[in-house]
């Protein structure tokens, strides 16, 4: 039991969420806006040092029918780099439709698309982590 960090990987931004395995509850944390991989991983390293997670989760994008595409490959490569660099277990969670769900949730709070944009990736990461918590073997029995 402990802290988990989740990532909504994108080529321009990476949404980050945190949660506790004991509570199985996820919360949006931040969005990393960095051009270079070195800057991205430096920002992730700071978050890992601060939050001391026991587990990392990466959203795995696929087509609606579950077949992989180019972003699937890039997210998998990102996950491999996380595991090698930080020596932490990395799991995947299905992220199909998380961005659409995140947009809908932010609209429900009264935000328009412009004011919601900075939060969108972090909320998508929250939904990825919540999906991971709710999937076996992590779901409460």
């Amino acid at each position: 039991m402990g802290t988990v960090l989740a990532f909504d990987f994108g080529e321009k931004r990476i949404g980050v969420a945190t949660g506790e395995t004991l509570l199985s509850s996820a919360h949006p944390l931040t969005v990393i806006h960095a051009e270079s991989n070195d800057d991205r991983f430096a920002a992730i390293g700071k978050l890992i040092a601060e939050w001391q997670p026991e587990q990392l989760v990466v959203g795995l994008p696929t087509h609606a029918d579950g077949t992989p595409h180019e972003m699937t490959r890039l997210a998998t490569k990102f996950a491999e780099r996380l595991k090698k660099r930080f020596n932490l277990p990395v799991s995947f969670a299905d992220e199909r439709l998380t961005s659409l769900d995140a947009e809908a949730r932010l609209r429900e709070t009264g935000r328009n698309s412009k004011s919601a944009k900075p939060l969108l990736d972090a909320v998508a990461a929250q939904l990825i982590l919540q999906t991971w918590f709710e999937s076996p073997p992590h779901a409460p029995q």
Side-chain angles (χ1 to χ4, degrees), residues 84-137:
K84 284 180 185 173
R85 187 169 293 211
F86 301 110
N87 197 30
L88 288 167
V90 178
S91 296
F92 291 101
D94 184 352
E95 74 161 47
R96 284 179 283 181
L97 307 178
T98 54
S99 292
L100 293 174
D101 192 5
E103 285 178 28
R105 287 175 186 233
L106 288 168
R107 267 196 311 276
E108 287 171 8
T109 66
R111 295 180 184 274
N112 62 31
S113 60
K114 187 175 181 178
S115 68
K117 187 94 171 140
L119 302 171
L120 185 61
D121 297 304
V123 172
Q126 173 192 13
L127 295 172
I128 288 165
L129 184 51
Q130 199 63 51
T131 297
W132 184 79
F133 281 140
E134 293 169 2
S135 66

